[in-house]
Amino acid sequence: MGTIKLQNIRTFSFHGCLEEEGKIGSDYRVDLEIKTDLRKSSLSDDIKDTVDYVLLNQIVVNEMDIRSKLLEHVANRIILRIFKEIPSVSRIILAVSKLNPPIGGDVEAVSIEMEEYRT
């Protein structure tokens, strides 16, 4: 087994419960960790034997472009899509953070983290 991590994926997205959040948008950070078997690719040196992190990044960016009210909802979409498109992924840990959230305080970020296993 092995781990692939994509750290600090930055997007500008339009998530939030407030109507104005859907209009003005905000900065987001996504951290993704997946578990997969890296033994074959460690020997073959061939991208077809591993999980392509370019595809992982594209899935995150595509799903972050679709508006959701809750960070949990967009995170779940990302997880489901990774499991659907990449059968070799056995576990996902995903954190989605809204930077400088409009909550009336000096808060750097609000984050949710989800962990799911392939069933």
Side-chain angles (χ1 to χ4, degrees):
M1 257 321 151
T3 302
I4 296 175
K5 296 180 182 182
L6 278 72
Q7 299 170 311
N8 201 21
I9 302 167
R10 293 174 300 279
T11 71
F12 189 83
S13 304
F14 297 87
H15 308 299
C17 292
L18 302 175
E19 187 176 325
E20 54 267 20
E21 289 177 297
K23 295 177 183 175
I24 63 171
S26 187
D27 290 310
Y28 290 81
R29 182 184 72 231
V30 178
D31 296 296
L32 173 65
E33 178 178 313
I34 62 123
K35 290 285 187 184
T36 191
D37 190 343
L38 298 176
R39 291 174 289 195
K40 187 174 181 182
S41 62
S42 71
L43 297 172
S44 72
D45 197 27
D46 193 329
I47 196 163
K48 71 176 176 52
D49 293 330
T50 192
V51 175
D52 185 351
Y53 51 78
V54 173
L55 175 58
L56 289 171
N57 183 67
Q58 192 60 53
I59 290 170
V60 168
V61 170
N62 288 347
E63 293 301 323
M64 289 297 290
D65 279 345
I66 302 168
R67 178 165 161 66
S68 290
K69 291 179 184 175
L70 300 177
L71 298 180
E72 296 91 323
H73 188 260
V74 70
N76 188 60
R77 285 200 323 266
I78 293 167
I79 289 168
L80 292 174
R81 187 161 164 206
I82 290 170
F83 279 145
K84 180 180 178 185
E85 294 187 24
I86 310 171
S88 63
V89 172
S90 61
R91 185 184 99 190
I92 299 170
I93 299 173
L94 178 73
V96 180
S97 303
K98 180 184 284 191
L99 307 179
N100 301 310
I103 61 174
D106 186 11
V107 178
E108 181 179 331
V110 173
S111 303
I112 63 99
E113 183 174 285
M114 297 174 70
E115 179 175 2
E116 296 292 338
Y117 294 82
R118 182 177 296 281
T119 55

